[in-house]
Amino acid sequence: MTEDQHPDDPLRLDRQICFPLYAASNLINRLYRPVLSKLGLTYPQYLVMLALWEQAPRTVGALGEALYLDSGTLTPLLKRMEQAGLLTRKRDPEDERRVQVDLTSEGRALKAEAQRVPETLTAGFEGDPADVEDLRDSVQALVATLSRHTRGPAD
Amino acid sequence: MTEDQHPDDPLRLDRQICFPLYAASNLINRLYRPVLSKLGLTYPQYLVMLALWEQAPRTVGALGEALYLDSGTLTPLLKRMEQAGLLTRKRDPEDERRVQVDLTSEGRALKAEAQRVPETLTAGFEGDPADVEDLRDSVQALVATLSRHTRGPAD
DNA sequence: TTCATTTATATTGCACACAATTTAATTGCT
DNA sequence: AGCAATTAAATTGTGTGCAATATAAATGAA
Protein backbone atom coordinates (compact mmCIF):
# COMPACT_ATOMS: atom_id res chain seq x y z
CA MET A 1 0.00 0.00 0.00
CA THR A 2 2.77 2.37 -0.99
CA GLU A 3 1.70 5.96 -1.42
CA ASP A 4 2.63 7.56 -4.73
CA GLN A 5 5.73 9.62 -4.14
CA HIS A 6 6.37 12.66 -6.30
CA PRO A 7 10.04 13.57 -6.70
CA ASP A 8 9.38 17.15 -5.60
CA ASP A 9 7.14 16.35 -2.64
CA PRO A 10 8.44 18.73 0.07
CA LEU A 11 7.68 16.08 2.72
CA ARG A 12 10.05 13.45 1.31
CA LEU A 13 12.41 12.32 4.05
CA ASP A 14 15.45 12.68 1.80
CA ARG A 15 14.61 16.29 1.01
CA GLN A 16 14.76 17.41 4.64
CA ILE A 17 17.82 19.14 6.04
CA CYS A 18 16.63 18.48 9.58
CA PHE A 19 16.62 14.69 9.33
CA PRO A 20 20.28 14.05 8.44
CA LEU A 21 21.30 16.42 11.24
CA TYR A 22 19.08 14.51 13.66
CA ALA A 23 20.39 11.16 12.45
CA ALA A 24 24.01 12.31 12.53
CA SER A 25 23.62 13.57 16.08
CA ASN A 26 22.16 10.25 17.23
CA LEU A 27 24.79 8.21 15.40
CA ILE A 28 27.60 10.29 16.85
CA ASN A 29 26.22 9.87 20.34
CA ARG A 30 26.17 6.11 19.76
CA LEU A 31 29.71 6.15 18.36
CA TYR A 32 31.13 8.18 21.24
CA ARG A 33 29.36 6.25 23.99
CA PRO A 34 31.70 3.25 24.35
CA VAL A 35 34.78 5.50 24.12
CA LEU A 36 33.52 8.05 26.64
CA SER A 37 32.15 5.47 29.05
CA LYS A 38 35.76 4.47 29.68
CA LEU A 39 36.24 8.02 30.97
CA GLY A 40 33.02 7.81 32.98
CA LEU A 41 31.35 10.43 30.78
CA THR A 42 28.23 10.66 28.68
CA TYR A 43 28.37 12.69 25.49
CA PRO A 44 26.80 15.90 26.86
CA GLN A 45 29.00 15.55 29.94
CA TYR A 46 32.00 15.38 27.61
CA LEU A 47 30.87 18.64 26.02
CA VAL A 48 30.67 20.26 29.46
CA MET A 49 34.22 19.09 30.14
CA LEU A 50 35.43 20.51 26.81
CA ALA A 51 33.85 23.84 27.73
CA LEU A 52 35.37 23.84 31.21
CA TRP A 53 38.81 22.77 30.00
CA GLU A 54 38.74 25.91 27.86
CA GLN A 55 37.57 28.15 30.66
CA ALA A 56 36.74 27.59 34.31
CA PRO A 57 35.03 28.54 36.48
CA ARG A 58 31.92 29.36 34.52
CA THR A 59 28.35 30.02 35.56
CA VAL A 60 25.57 27.62 34.64
CA GLY A 61 24.25 30.30 32.34
CA ALA A 62 27.59 30.74 30.56
CA LEU A 63 27.85 26.99 30.06
CA GLY A 64 24.33 26.97 28.69
CA GLU A 65 25.19 29.72 26.24
CA ALA A 66 28.28 27.88 25.05
CA LEU A 67 26.45 24.56 24.61
CA TYR A 68 22.97 25.86 23.67
CA LEU A 69 21.40 24.16 26.70
CA ASP A 70 19.22 25.52 29.50
CA SER A 71 19.27 24.99 33.24
CA GLY A 72 16.59 22.34 32.97
CA THR A 73 19.10 20.16 31.18
CA LEU A 74 22.28 21.37 32.82
CA THR A 75 21.34 21.35 36.49
CA PRO A 76 20.76 17.60 36.86
CA LEU A 77 23.66 16.86 34.50
CA LEU A 78 26.05 19.03 36.55
CA LYS A 79 24.82 17.43 39.77
CA ARG A 80 25.76 14.01 38.44
CA MET A 81 29.17 15.29 37.41
CA GLU A 82 29.61 16.83 40.84
CA GLN A 83 28.75 13.47 42.40
CA ALA A 84 31.36 11.89 40.14
CA GLY A 85 33.95 14.29 41.55
CA LEU A 86 34.68 16.07 38.27
CA LEU A 87 33.49 19.54 39.24
CA THR A 88 32.14 21.74 42.02
CA ARG A 89 29.01 23.91 42.11
CA LYS A 90 29.11 26.98 44.35
CA ARG A 91 26.82 29.96 44.68
CA ASP A 92 28.63 33.11 43.63
CA PRO A 93 29.09 35.30 46.74
CA GLU A 94 28.99 38.37 44.46
CA ASP A 95 25.55 37.40 43.19
CA GLU A 96 23.78 34.62 45.01
CA ARG A 97 21.56 33.89 41.99
CA ARG A 98 24.54 32.61 40.03
CA VAL A 99 26.19 29.22 40.44
CA GLN A 100 29.86 28.94 39.60
CA VAL A 101 30.93 25.63 38.13
CA ASP A 102 34.61 24.82 38.53
CA LEU A 103 36.81 21.82 37.76
CA THR A 104 38.23 19.68 40.52
CA SER A 105 41.81 18.45 40.18
CA GLU A 106 40.30 15.16 39.11
CA GLY A 107 38.32 16.96 36.44
CA ARG A 108 41.41 18.77 35.20
CA ALA A 109 43.39 15.53 35.20
CA LEU A 110 40.80 13.88 32.99
CA LYS A 111 41.86 16.12 30.12
CA ALA A 112 45.02 14.06 29.66
CA GLU A 113 42.92 10.91 29.34
CA ALA A 114 40.68 12.58 26.76
CA GLN A 115 43.48 13.77 24.46
CA ARG A 116 43.08 10.88 22.06
CA VAL A 117 39.28 10.86 21.93
CA PRO A 118 38.91 13.07 18.82
CA GLU A 119 41.42 11.18 16.71
CA THR A 120 40.03 7.83 17.87
CA LEU A 121 36.62 8.80 16.61
CA THR A 122 37.52 10.61 13.40
CA ALA A 123 39.94 7.85 12.41
CA GLY A 124 37.24 5.88 10.62
CA PHE A 125 35.58 8.87 8.99
CA GLU A 126 37.42 8.16 5.74
CA GLY A 127 37.62 11.06 3.37
CA ASP A 128 39.60 14.25 3.10
CA PRO A 129 40.07 15.88 6.52
CA ALA A 130 39.62 19.22 4.73
CA ASP A 131 36.13 18.09 3.66
CA VAL A 132 35.28 17.28 7.27
CA GLU A 133 36.47 20.76 8.29
CA ASP A 134 34.35 22.33 5.56
CA LEU A 135 31.36 20.37 6.77
CA ARG A 136 32.04 21.43 10.34
CA ASP A 137 32.22 25.09 9.32
CA SER A 138 28.99 24.81 7.32
CA VAL A 139 27.13 23.25 10.25
CA GLN A 140 28.61 25.86 12.59
CA ALA A 141 27.20 28.56 10.31
CA LEU A 142 23.83 26.85 10.37
CA VAL A 143 23.93 26.68 14.16
CA ALA A 144 24.67 30.40 14.29
CA THR A 145 21.65 31.07 12.11
CA LEU A 146 19.38 28.72 14.04
CA SER A 147 20.41 30.15 17.39
CA ARG A 148 19.41 33.60 16.14
CA HIS A 149 15.94 32.20 15.44
CA THR A 150 15.40 30.52 18.77
CA ARG A 151 16.78 33.21 21.09
CA GLY A 152 18.31 30.67 23.43
CA PRO A 153 16.81 27.69 25.23
CA ALA A 154 13.23 28.14 26.40
CA ASP A 155 13.11 31.36 24.41
CA MET B 1 41.31 30.86 36.32
CA THR B 2 41.17 30.45 32.55
CA GLU B 3 43.21 27.56 31.24
CA ASP B 4 45.72 28.42 28.53
CA GLN B 5 44.19 27.45 25.23
CA HIS B 6 46.43 26.43 22.35
CA PRO B 7 44.99 27.09 18.91
CA ASP B 8 45.65 23.51 17.82
CA ASP B 9 44.35 21.80 20.97
CA PRO B 10 42.31 18.89 19.58
CA LEU B 11 39.89 19.26 22.50
CA ARG B 12 38.81 22.80 21.65
CA LEU B 13 35.02 22.91 21.38
CA ASP B 14 35.16 24.82 18.10
CA ARG B 15 37.36 22.19 16.50
CA GLN B 16 34.86 19.37 17.02
CA ILE B 17 32.63 18.21 14.18
CA CYS B 18 30.37 16.43 16.65
CA PHE B 19 29.36 19.50 18.63
CA PRO B 20 27.79 21.62 15.87
CA LEU B 21 25.82 18.57 14.74
CA TYR B 22 24.61 18.03 18.30
CA ALA B 23 23.75 21.72 18.72
CA ALA B 24 22.03 21.91 15.33
CA SER B 25 19.92 18.86 16.16
CA ASN B 26 18.81 20.38 19.47
CA LEU B 27 18.11 23.78 17.93
CA ILE B 28 16.08 22.25 15.11
CA ASN B 29 14.04 20.25 17.59
CA ARG B 30 13.34 23.49 19.47
CA LEU B 31 12.46 25.33 16.26
CA TYR B 32 10.07 22.62 15.04
CA ARG B 33 8.35 22.07 18.37
CA PRO B 34 5.84 24.95 18.32
CA VAL B 35 5.00 24.29 14.65
CA LEU B 36 4.57 20.53 15.09
CA SER B 37 2.67 20.80 18.36
CA LYS B 38 -0.16 22.37 16.35
CA LEU B 39 -0.31 19.05 14.48
CA GLY B 40 -0.11 17.11 17.73
CA LEU B 41 3.32 15.73 16.85
CA THR B 42 6.76 15.74 18.41
CA TYR B 43 9.78 15.95 16.13
CA PRO B 44 10.60 12.20 16.04
CA GLN B 45 6.90 11.48 15.60
CA TYR B 46 6.94 13.83 12.59
CA LEU B 47 9.83 11.80 11.15
CA VAL B 48 7.80 8.60 11.58
CA MET B 49 4.94 10.26 9.72
CA LEU B 50 7.27 11.37 6.90
CA ALA B 51 8.48 7.77 6.60
CA LEU B 52 4.95 6.35 6.61
CA TRP B 53 3.63 8.94 4.15
CA GLU B 54 6.29 7.64 1.77
CA GLN B 55 5.49 4.00 2.37
CA ALA B 56 2.98 2.18 4.55
CA PRO B 57 2.56 -0.27 6.05
CA ARG B 58 6.07 -0.83 7.31
CA THR B 59 7.46 -3.04 10.04
CA VAL B 60 8.97 -1.56 13.18
CA GLY B 61 12.33 -2.80 11.94
CA ALA B 62 11.95 -1.11 8.55
CA LEU B 63 11.02 2.16 10.24
CA GLY B 64 14.05 1.82 12.48
CA GLU B 65 16.30 1.28 9.50
CA ALA B 66 14.90 4.34 7.73
CA LEU B 67 15.22 6.58 10.81
CA TYR B 68 18.29 5.01 12.46
CA LEU B 69 16.33 4.17 15.61
CA ASP B 70 15.82 0.89 17.47
CA SER B 71 12.77 -0.73 19.00
CA GLY B 72 13.64 0.65 22.42
CA THR B 73 12.92 4.10 21.06
CA LEU B 74 10.26 3.27 18.50
CA THR B 75 7.97 0.98 20.49
CA PRO B 76 6.85 3.53 23.10
CA LEU B 77 6.78 6.29 20.48
CA LEU B 78 4.56 4.24 18.17
CA LYS B 79 2.29 3.34 21.06
CA ARG B 80 1.71 7.01 21.77
CA MET B 81 0.99 7.65 18.09
CA GLU B 82 -1.41 4.72 18.08
CA GLN B 83 -3.18 6.20 21.11
CA ALA B 84 -3.37 9.49 19.21
CA GLY B 85 -5.15 7.67 16.39
CA LEU B 86 -2.50 8.32 13.75
CA LEU B 87 -1.50 4.71 13.09
CA THR B 88 -2.20 1.07 13.85
CA ARG B 89 0.16 -1.65 15.09
CA LYS B 90 -0.66 -5.23 14.09
CA ARG B 91 1.32 -8.45 14.35
CA ASP B 92 2.10 -9.78 10.87
CA PRO B 93 0.12 -13.03 10.40
CA GLU B 94 2.89 -14.23 8.04
CA ASP B 95 5.50 -13.85 10.76
CA GLU B 96 4.22 -13.21 14.24
CA ARG B 97 7.53 -11.68 15.32
CA ARG B 98 6.96 -8.69 13.07
CA VAL B 99 4.67 -5.76 13.79
CA GLN B 100 3.18 -3.93 10.83
CA VAL B 101 2.68 -0.22 11.34
CA ASP B 102 0.06 1.36 9.11
CA LEU B 103 -1.51 4.80 8.81
CA THR B 104 -5.10 5.41 9.82
CA SER B 105 -7.22 7.66 7.63
CA GLU B 106 -6.57 10.35 10.23
CA GLY B 107 -2.85 9.77 9.87
CA ARG B 108 -3.08 10.01 6.09
CA ALA B 109 -5.20 13.15 6.34
CA LEU B 110 -2.56 14.83 8.48
CA LYS B 111 -0.25 14.99 5.47
CA ALA B 112 -2.31 17.83 4.03
CA GLU B 113 -1.88 19.80 7.24
CA ALA B 114 1.88 19.20 7.18
CA GLN B 115 2.46 20.40 3.60
CA ARG B 116 3.61 23.84 4.67
CA VAL B 117 5.84 22.73 7.56
CA PRO B 118 9.12 22.59 5.59
CA GLU B 119 8.74 26.01 3.99
CA THR B 120 7.59 27.53 7.28
CA LEU B 121 10.77 26.40 8.93
CA THR B 122 13.29 27.03 6.16
CA ALA B 123 11.83 30.46 5.46
CA GLY B 124 14.10 32.13 8.00
CA PHE B 125 17.22 30.18 7.11
CA GLU B 126 18.46 33.07 4.99
CA GLY B 127 21.08 32.17 2.45
CA ASP B 128 21.19 30.45 -0.89
CA PRO B 129 18.80 27.45 -0.98
CA ALA B 130 21.48 25.71 -3.04
CA ASP B 131 23.89 26.07 -0.11
CA VAL B 132 21.36 24.45 2.19
CA GLU B 133 20.98 21.59 -0.29
CA ASP B 134 24.76 21.18 -0.45
CA LEU B 135 24.90 21.09 3.34
CA ARG B 136 22.10 18.54 3.43
CA ASP B 137 23.92 16.31 0.95
CA SER B 138 27.17 16.59 2.91
CA VAL B 139 25.48 15.62 6.18
CA GLN B 140 23.67 12.80 4.41
CA ALA B 141 27.04 11.50 3.23
CA LEU B 142 28.35 11.73 6.79
CA VAL B 143 25.31 9.82 8.08
CA ALA B 144 25.97 7.10 5.52
CA THR B 145 29.55 6.82 6.75
CA LEU B 146 28.60 6.89 10.42
CA SER B 147 25.89 4.27 9.98
CA ARG B 148 28.48 1.96 8.47
CA HIS B 149 30.53 2.33 11.67
CA THR B 150 27.75 1.65 14.13
CA ARG B 151 26.10 -1.35 12.47
CA GLY B 152 22.66 -0.12 13.37
CA PRO B 153 21.13 0.74 16.75
CA ALA B 154 22.35 -1.37 19.64
CA ASP B 155 24.94 -2.90 17.31
C1' DT C 1 11.16 -34.07 14.70
C1' DT C 2 13.89 -31.72 18.25
C1' DC C 3 16.10 -28.18 20.13
C1' DA C 4 19.85 -24.72 19.87
C1' DT C 5 20.31 -20.52 17.28
C1' DT C 6 18.69 -16.57 15.24
C1' DT C 7 15.45 -12.86 14.52
C1' DA C 8 11.80 -9.20 15.70
C1' DT C 9 9.88 -6.67 19.06
C1' DA C 10 9.09 -5.34 23.87
C1' DT C 11 10.74 -4.10 28.48
C1' DT C 12 13.81 -2.00 31.92
C1' DG C 13 16.76 1.41 33.72
C1' DC C 14 19.24 5.53 33.08
C1' DA C 15 20.40 10.05 31.14
C1' DC C 16 19.22 13.61 28.55
C1' DA C 17 16.25 17.92 26.41
C1' DC C 18 12.82 21.16 26.89
C1' DA C 19 8.48 23.95 28.09
C1' DA C 20 6.43 25.71 31.98
C1' DT C 21 6.66 26.94 36.52
C1' DT C 22 8.82 28.07 40.94
C1' DT C 23 12.16 30.10 44.06
C1' DA C 24 15.29 33.34 45.42
C1' DA C 25 18.29 37.25 44.62
C1' DT C 26 19.20 41.64 42.34
C1' DT C 27 17.86 45.87 39.85
C1' DG C 28 15.53 49.82 39.06
C1' DC C 29 12.02 53.05 39.50
C1' DT C 30 10.08 56.45 42.47
C1' DA D 1 13.80 52.95 51.64
C1' DG D 2 10.01 50.25 49.31
C1' DC D 3 8.50 47.36 45.94
C1' DA D 4 7.55 45.80 41.17
C1' DA D 5 10.17 43.93 37.45
C1' DT D 6 13.94 41.29 36.05
C1' DT D 7 17.33 37.68 36.25
C1' DA D 8 19.60 32.99 37.44
C1' DA D 9 18.87 28.39 38.77
C1' DA D 10 16.14 24.72 40.20
C1' DT D 11 12.03 21.91 39.79
C1' DT D 12 8.25 19.39 37.42
C1' DG D 13 6.34 16.65 33.90
C1' DT D 14 6.61 14.60 29.34
C1' DG D 15 9.00 12.43 25.58
C1' DT D 16 12.74 10.68 23.66
C1' DG D 17 17.37 7.60 22.84
C1' DC D 18 19.95 3.72 23.95
C1' DA D 19 22.33 -0.46 26.16
C1' DA D 20 21.06 -4.56 28.15
C1' DT D 21 17.88 -7.89 28.77
C1' DA D 22 13.61 -10.54 28.11
C1' DT D 23 10.12 -12.78 25.35
C1' DA D 24 8.36 -15.17 21.69
C1' DA D 25 8.37 -16.80 16.98
C1' DA D 26 10.88 -18.74 13.06
C1' DT D 27 14.90 -21.23 11.31
C1' DG D 28 18.07 -24.83 10.77
C1' DA D 29 21.16 -28.49 11.68
C1' DA D 30 21.55 -33.26 13.41
Side-chain angles (χ1 to χ4, degrees):
Chain A
M1 211 45 65
T2 301
E3 277 71 17
D4 51 346
Q5 186 70 14
H6 299 84
D8 58 347
D9 185 337
L11 293 179
R12 279 176 60 128
L13 201 52
D14 63 5
R15 291 201 51 204
Q16 312 303 312
I17 172 65
C18 58
F19 171 54
L21 290 167
Y22 166 84
S25 182
N26 287 345
L27 288 168
I28 283 175
N29 189 338
R30 232 173 284 163
L31 196 62
Y32 271 75
R33 187 181 297 258
V35 178
L36 293 179
S37 77
K38 286 172 191 146
L39 304 180
L41 294 173
T42 65
Y43 180 68
Q45 290 173 7
Y46 173 66
L47 293 180
V48 167
M49 294 307 288
L50 291 183
L52 289 175
W53 286 328
E54 286 189 23
Q55 186 179 353
R58 282 161 97 129
T59 63
V60 172
L63 277 173
E65 215 170 308
L67 302 178
Y68 304 98
L69 296 172
D70 69 1
S71 71
T73 300
L74 282 174
T75 296
L77 191 153
L78 293 171
K79 282 184 177 174
R80 281 186 286 270
M81 296 177 76
E82 186 182 36
Q83 281 303 306
L86 296 171
L87 51 81
T88 58
R89 295 160 62 249
K90 274 200 276 287
R91 287 279 166 187
D92 185 344
E94 299 292 305
D95 183 342
E96 291 279 346
R97 290 172 305 179
R98 288 199 286 257
V99 167
Q100 294 288 352
V101 180
D102 204 355
L103 290 169
T104 61
S105 54
E106 189 181 342
R108 261 183 296 272
L110 195 65
K111 185 173 185 181
E113 315 259 334
Q115 282 297 330
R116 306 183 72 78
V117 169
E119 62 180 284
T120 301
L121 287 165
T122 52
F125 270 24
E126 78 201 24
D128 194 343
D131 290 346
V132 177
E133 284 181 38
D134 287 349
L135 176 58
R136 181 196 63 202
D137 295 343
S138 299
V139 183
Q140 278 177 354
L142 177 65
V143 167
T145 301
L146 289 172
S147 66
R148 251 173 270 130
H149 282 271
T150 55
R151 289 210 267 297
D155 230 25
Chain B
M1 208 47 66
T2 301
E3 276 71 17
D4 52 345
Q5 186 72 15
H6 299 84
D8 59 346
D9 186 337
L11 293 178
R12 281 175 58 127
L13 201 52
D14 62 5
R15 290 199 51 202
Q16 311 303 313
I17 172 65
C18 58
F19 171 55
L21 290 167
Y22 165 85
S25 183
N26 286 345
L27 287 168
I28 283 175
N29 190 339
R30 230 174 284 163
L31 196 63
Y32 272 75
R33 188 182 297 257
V35 178
L36 293 178
S37 77
K38 286 172 190 145
L39 304 181
L41 294 173
T42 65
Y43 180 67
Q45 289 173 7
Y46 172 67
L47 293 180
V48 167
M49 293 307 287
L50 291 183
L52 289 175
W53 286 328
E54 286 190 20
Q55 187 179 355
R58 283 161 98 129
T59 64
V60 172
L63 277 173
E65 214 169 308
L67 302 178
Y68 304 97
L69 295 172
D70 69 0
S71 71
T73 299
L74 281 174
T75 296
L77 192 154
L78 293 171
K79 282 183 177 175
R80 280 187 286 271
M81 296 177 75
E82 186 181 35
Q83 282 302 306
L86 296 172
L87 51 81
T88 58
R89 294 161 63 248
K90 274 201 275 287
R91 286 283 164 184
D92 185 345
E94 299 292 306
D95 183 341
E96 290 279 345
R97 292 171 304 179
R98 289 199 286 256
V99 168
Q100 294 288 350
V101 180
D102 204 355
L103 290 169
T104 62
S105 54
E106 188 182 341
R108 261 184 296 272
L110 195 66
K111 185 173 185 182
E113 316 258 332
Q115 283 298 328
R116 307 184 72 76
V117 168
E119 62 180 286
T120 301
L121 287 165
T122 53
F125 270 22
E126 77 202 22
D128 194 341
D131 290 346
V132 178
E133 284 182 37
D134 286 348
L135 176 59
R136 181 196 64 202
D137 295 343
S138 299
V139 183
Q140 278 177 355
L142 176 65
V143 167
T145 302
L146 289 171
S147 65
R148 251 174 270 130
H149 283 270
T150 54
R151 290 212 270 297
D155 233 26

